[in-house]
Amino acid sequence: MAKKLSISESGSNEPLKKTTAKKSSEYKSIKKEMNGTEKATSSTKASSVSKTKKSTSVKKIESDSNKKLDAVAVEDNLNKKTVKKKTAKSVEKRITNSVSENIKITFYLKFSTHFGQNLFITGNHKVLGNDNIEQALSMHYFNNNYWWVELDLNLKEIPAEGITYHYILKNEDGTIVYDWGNDKKILPNYCKKEEIIIEDSWNFAGYYENAFYTEPFQEILLPKHNTVVQALKLNATTTHLVIVKAPLLNEDETLCICGEGASFNNWNVEKPLILKRLPNEPVFYAQIKMPATVHALQYKFGIYNHTTKQFVRYENGKNRVLNNWSKKGKQTLAIINEGFAVLPNNTWRGAGVAIPVFSLRSEQSAGVGEFSDLKLLVDWAKQTGLKLIQILPVNDTTATHTWTDSYPYAAISAFALHPLYIRLKTATNEENLHLLQAIEDKCKQLNELPTVDYEEVMQLKLAYLKKIYPLQWQQLLQSSDYKIFFHNNQHWLVPYAVFCYLRDTYGTSNFSQWPEYSTYNEAVVTEMAQPNSEHYKAIAFHFFVQFHLHQQLLDATNYAHQHGIILKGDIAIGVYRNGADTWQEPHLFHLDRQSGAPPDDFAIKGQNWGFPTYNWQQMMKDGFAWWKKRFEQMRYYFDAFRIDHILGFFRIWSIPYHAVEGIMGRFVPAIPVHVNELFGRNIWFDYHRFTQPFINDDVLNELFGNDAEFVKGNFLEYNGFGNYTLKEAYNTQRKVEQYLAHWNDDDFTHKIKQGLFNLISNVILFEEEGSNGQQFHFRFGMESTTSFRFLDGHSQQQLRDLYIDYFFRRQDDFWKNEALQKLPALKKVTNMLICGEDLGLVPACVPDVMRQLGLLSLEIQRMPKNPQQTFFHPNNAPYLSVVTPSTHDMSTIRGWWEEDKQLIQQFYNNELGQWGAAPFYCEAWINKAIVVQHLYSPAMWSIFQLQDLLGMDENIRRNDPNDERINVPANPKHYWRYRMHLTLEQLNNSNEFTNLLQQLVHESGR
């Protein structure tokens, strides 16, 4: 006798059993519409949705888990005649005879609506607009829960791989929301009947499950299932094809269905209907035969264990309902896309290690970490149970051939890899290995240095590569691997190589100073890179180097995958001003602006990164083609990536080129303050007083002290009433910097320079360009200026209120729409896991946008996003996030412990729960406690700088924590040269430390 499960209480995951499904007037109306419009024109000829109809909202009809769309209990109340039984053979014969050249497909999308929005369907077929949003097929509003559209498809035009389609929501403000995933398909095997009805669920991009269908999880991290994989062969008697996804099943588990009626074995969990998987598709499916006399059936998905042959559990939430979509006199297949089974979706958690490639050290490296060293790091990560290795950008930054090129975020190409990371031995053919002997001692000498000597390493490697290049080039040129590489990458490789050749020929990367070729000409560049060109030999050298870099990084990536570990890259927010990208496509950049960040506790004058800002309007015209190519390039080597300063997709801190300090910037785009707003607040507004540097004797004495008279005599002009203006030759920070560059590099020069910088930034408002004195933007930190302090009290208070409105209220929706014009389109072109570095002055709209798009946030204990908190506790992290105690832009745990004793005391007592005075130094047990806090966080990923992991062991960590820091953001001229103090071989043999970390990772469930 079959084992019976007790009827569940409301809210339980057990099914609520009934003999018949609840009748639905909604389904009745749909059926009536279906049967009553047989002769209606298909939706391919239908007009656009009436603007008077209600439209849709992103708010879906969700289940008890606030995620899955509830099945609507539906029933056909039309009078039906008794259907005579027929054999499967006779039914199949009738189907074969009735199939025409076209098939009618009706789509029903369950989606709640509000006025002003519209739904569309698009796909990789001409009837669906060939994935062009502008040509997407308009859907029709049916009722509060459904939109629909009907079309005819020619069977001969359905490709063997099927048609992939998506739904698109267009909001009233023009923003686009995408139905996520690539698993909604019309396969040829579906088209064996006269008509198809598809009932779809909207896939919200922010569902946790979507993260597990990205490449790193599907290909590397998740277990391979034992579920039967079988191509669909539609049975003649099949009335319904149920499709569902469940990413986090164990390898011996699959999905099953239990439900009412003979179709579902009457809720018998000992005989559930076992689902199968489609080949190369992430979905489970089951064919159902529903009797024509049955209006609807209730059912639930469950988990079934292949090994034990046991039913494990039901999904959570309410019963689902399978409706009878059959039409009188027609053979109909109903495809029910149920979305995700309602199962626990936040149980997977992983841990990783972060370190720049240049910081690695092995016995084989030559003074700097190399791509090949990543394999040794993989070996260690495998021992410890870490699943991810995160690195900084590895693009070529060679602009000046000096140590200033060590800045990894200033790439001269967003596509080319840096020659710094090449392993010379691996790039050398066997017959030329003897050439390495000449540089062996130098390599060893550089490798023993405590930090990277960037210039020496680069000179050594480039000189050696130029020696082997003529010996190996012709052989490489004929290899199939090289030919494939060149074919796939020539769109960036040729311009990059020519740029490098011209940079070295003219002695500068500033192409505006080149006597020839300063303006990019594709035809000329292509001609220069032809084998018969006089320039070819020098240009092809860069092809040679890039190919070897590509091979070596790809080899490291493949090695990581073989060991179950993924690589996470880093996409810099900007590119170098004088680089191959700006030379090739200057229209994509604002070369008269600089990107950076507003002032904060780490950089009180703000940050000026020097990168040109993006011309987003121009980029939109070709569908962000440059960004799409950039993401595709990352996919060669990485499984996940971090978007550096993702806030830049909402708004960027834009600094005019005449400024040096970040404090002279403003957010772009931004809604300005109109002059009438100032008048409306009874502010006495004087254009010159508010927008020009405020300089009087008190200000000068405060800044320069005894040197005030010197400054007056050399840099200022008196304009009466006790006020001064800067002379034309010194009225911008850039002019001051250039003038004082010829002075002695001493304290006096620094005092005068900083004082003049402060005078120039002593303003309240920046005028909006082209506004004729009508629109303005606040200078950040207005209240800290002496210009503000010298205003009357009324003006100060009114400006404070307007300042708060400007920065924290009026911009939020505007910035949200800006991000939604860019990020969804970019996310759709890649299936890598995307994390956003959302630190700094975070607009209120950012968390919601990232949640909507399923982008992982970055959570840092000492940088809470809530201004009311001193610290952020890892236990409070959202699931779709990365928690970390520090980043490359910060001191490590140990370094931070020694910076602010008052803050550390508060952390010690409140966050670590310890009594008494905090130890002066960060002892190993403290470091370990902080690491453990992060390991036990509910966040999907916990990622640590290697230095923070080593800090748990007194015997293995570095003596001076100040030597562990990678970058100081406040210093724009920082030398990026940190290297780990022990070799990777030594790390792999550090059994005590490795075992400790492995135990911590394992016990935390990561």
Side-chain angles (χ1 to χ4, degrees), residues 474-749:
Q474 288 304 318
Q475 181 181 348
L476 179 64
L477 194 60
Q478 302 306 314
S479 72
S480 59
D481 286 344
Y482 173 78
K483 290 177 180 177
I484 294 172
F485 166 76
F486 185 83
H487 174 76
N488 291 339
N489 295 277
Q490 59 184 323
H491 67 91
W492 66 264
L493 182 59
V494 171
Y496 159 79
V498 173
F499 175 87
C500 292
Y501 164 69
L502 294 172
R503 172 201 63 200
D504 296 342
T505 299
Y506 297 129
T508 178
S509 64
N510 189 344
F511 48 86
S512 66
Q513 298 178 6
W514 294 349
E516 290 184 276
Y517 313 112
S518 60
T519 300
Y520 180 82
N521 184 306
E522 184 173 0
V524 172
V525 167
T526 301
E527 183 63 28
M528 291 175 69
Q530 294 301 309
N532 58 357
S533 166
E534 62 177 311
H535 314 285
Y536 179 73
K537 183 178 179 181
I539 290 171
F541 169 72
H542 302 285
F543 301 163
F544 174 80
V545 174
Q546 286 300 311
F547 171 74
H548 283 292
L549 287 164
H550 166 76
Q551 291 287 88
Q552 292 182 20
L553 180 52
L554 198 60
D555 178 56
T557 300
N558 291 336
Y559 185 84
H561 291 172
Q562 291 164 12
H563 290 78
I565 292 171
I566 66 171
L567 259 58
K568 180 182 175 185
D570 195 337
I571 288 191
I573 186 60
V575 297
Y576 191 64
R577 177 174 301 277
N578 301 312
D581 295 299
T582 53
W583 177 57
Q584 183 182 3
E585 301 187 85
H587 61 288
L588 299 181
F589 307 91
H590 291 299
L591 295 174
D592 60 340
R593 310 292 296 184
Q594 308 167 94
S595 57
D600 57 22
D601 292 340
F602 301 97
I604 59 173
K605 292 294 183 178
Q607 298 177 46
N608 183 352
W609 304 325
F611 312 137
T613 59
Y614 293 117
N615 186 341
W616 288 111
Q617 296 303 316
Q618 192 66 40
M619 288 180 161
M620 286 181 192
K621 290 180 180 179
D622 63 3
F624 304 103
W626 182 81
W627 278 97
K628 291 176 180 178
K629 289 184 286 189
R630 193 177 181 187
F631 282 12
E632 186 62 29
Q633 195 69 21
M634 291 285 288
R635 187 172 174 268
Y636 275 128
Y637 318 111
F638 301 107
D639 310 286
F641 62 87
R642 164 190 179 270
I643 299 180
D644 172 45
H645 194 65
I646 198 172
L647 304 184
F649 289 84
F650 294 77
R651 79 289 184 273
I652 194 69
W653 189 252
S654 178
I655 308 158
Y657 190 68
H658 61 68
V660 174
E661 294 180 319
I663 203 167
M664 292 295 290
R666 66 176 181 85
F667 288 124
V668 174
I671 301 171
V673 173
H674 195 277
V675 67
N676 289 341
E677 294 182 74
L678 300 171
F679 293 145
R681 291 174 176 267
N682 294 319
I683 297 173
W684 176 80
F685 177 69
D686 179 290
Y687 176 87
H688 188 274
R689 173 69 178 81
F690 278 60
T691 64
Q692 301 301 310
F694 176 70
I695 308 172
N696 62 17
D697 287 317
D698 290 335
V699 172
L700 292 171
N701 289 331
E702 181 177 324
L703 286 174
F704 299 101
N706 296 332
D707 297 314
E709 292 301 320
F710 173 82
V711 172
K712 291 180 189 177
N714 289 276
F715 299 98
L716 305 178
E717 293 177 348
Y718 184 69
N719 63 358
F721 307 102
N723 295 320
Y724 302 85
T725 57
L726 287 148
K727 292 180 180 180
E728 178 71 22
Y730 316 112
N731 64 356
T732 71
Q733 292 184 339
R734 186 75 60 190
K735 290 178 181 178
V736 170
E737 183 181 58
Q738 291 171 349
Y739 174 71
L740 296 182
H742 304 291
W743 287 25
N744 293 331
D745 186 13
D746 54 25
D747 291 343
F748 177 75
T749 300

Side-chain angles (χ1 to χ4, degrees), residues 102-376:
N102 289 349
I103 186 168
K104 184 164 75 172
I105 302 179
T106 306
F107 298 87
Y108 287 92
L109 175 65
K110 291 178 284 187
F111 204 94
S112 186
T113 66
H114 76 244
F115 182 78
Q117 302 175 311
N118 284 286
L119 277 167
F120 300 82
I121 184 171
T122 186
N124 58 345
H125 190 280
K126 63 182 181 180
V127 174
L128 299 175
N130 289 319
D131 282 328
N132 184 340
I133 293 179
E134 301 301 322
Q135 298 176 17
L137 190 63
S138 179
M139 299 186 73
H140 308 290
Y141 172 84
F142 187 80
N143 60 24
N144 286 338
N145 295 326
Y146 277 94
W147 281 65
W148 72 281
V149 70
E150 185 180 278
L151 55 85
D152 288 326
L153 277 181
N154 188 314
L155 292 173
K156 296 179 180 178
E157 294 179 350
I158 300 177
E161 65 275 13
I163 298 170
T164 302
Y165 65 94
H166 304 86
Y167 295 102
I168 296 170
L169 170 69
K170 187 173 183 180
N171 291 310
E172 58 269 44
D173 59 7
T175 55
I176 298 294
V177 180
Y178 296 93
D179 168 48
W180 216 252
N182 291 305
D183 52 272
K184 289 187 172 74
K185 294 191 175 184
I186 303 169
L187 298 175
N189 285 342
Y190 296 173
C191 305
K192 304 298 184 184
K193 301 205 174 186
E194 295 174 86
E195 187 171 340
I196 295 177
I197 294 171
I198 300 178
E199 183 180 347
D200 275 327
S201 301
W202 179 275
N203 184 1
F204 174 53
Y207 289 158
Y208 293 173
E209 287 90 343
N210 283 317
F212 301 112
Y213 288 99
T214 56
E215 290 178 6
F217 282 101
Q218 287 294 297
E219 298 180 8
I220 311 298
L221 297 173
L222 293 181
K224 305 303 177 185
H225 296 108
N226 296 324
T227 305
V228 175
V229 176
Q230 181 177 312
L232 175 67
K233 183 178 180 181
L234 198 64
N235 298 328
T237 56
T238 296
T239 61
H240 292 72
L241 182 66
V242 177
I243 298 174
V244 68
K245 296 187 289 185
L248 294 181
L249 300 176
N250 294 327
E251 60 183 280
D252 55 355
E253 294 177 340
T254 189
L255 286 180
C256 64
I257 294 178
C258 289
E260 65 176 328
S263 298
F264 295 127
N265 294 328
N266 294 306
W267 297 106
N268 186 347
V269 296
E270 292 187 355
K271 294 182 179 180
L273 182 62
I274 308 298
L275 276 66
K276 301 173 183 176
R277 293 191 69 167
L278 288 173
N280 304 315
E281 297 292 339
V283 298
F284 296 85
Y285 74 92
Q287 298 189 55
I288 310 297
K289 177 186 176 183
M290 178 181 282
T293 54
V294 175
H295 300 310
L297 293 171
Q298 295 195 55
Y299 70 99
K300 295 192 79 166
F301 293 111
I303 297 177
Y304 181 82
N305 189 297
H306 280 296
T307 304
T308 63
K309 308 296 183 185
Q310 293 290 319
F311 178 86
V312 178
R313 59 161 291 173
Y314 280 109
E315 65 175 332
N316 299 323
K318 300 176 182 177
N319 291 355
R320 299 175 186 262
V321 178
L322 191 71
N323 303 307
N324 192 333
W325 288 97
S326 64
K327 290 187 178 182
K328 185 177 180 180
K330 285 204 172 186
Q331 286 296 315
T332 303
L333 174 67
I335 300 174
I336 314 299
N337 281 313
E338 288 281 26
F340 299 108
V342 189
L343 296 166
N345 56 9
N346 60 354
T347 55
W348 192 98
R349 296 181 306 130
V353 61
I355 186 169
V357 175
F358 62 77
S359 299
L360 298 174
R361 184 190 296 271
S362 76
E363 295 172 2
Q364 299 298 315
S365 52
V368 69
E370 298 166 349
F371 289 145
S372 297
D373 291 328
L374 287 168
K375 294 198 282 187
L376 287 172

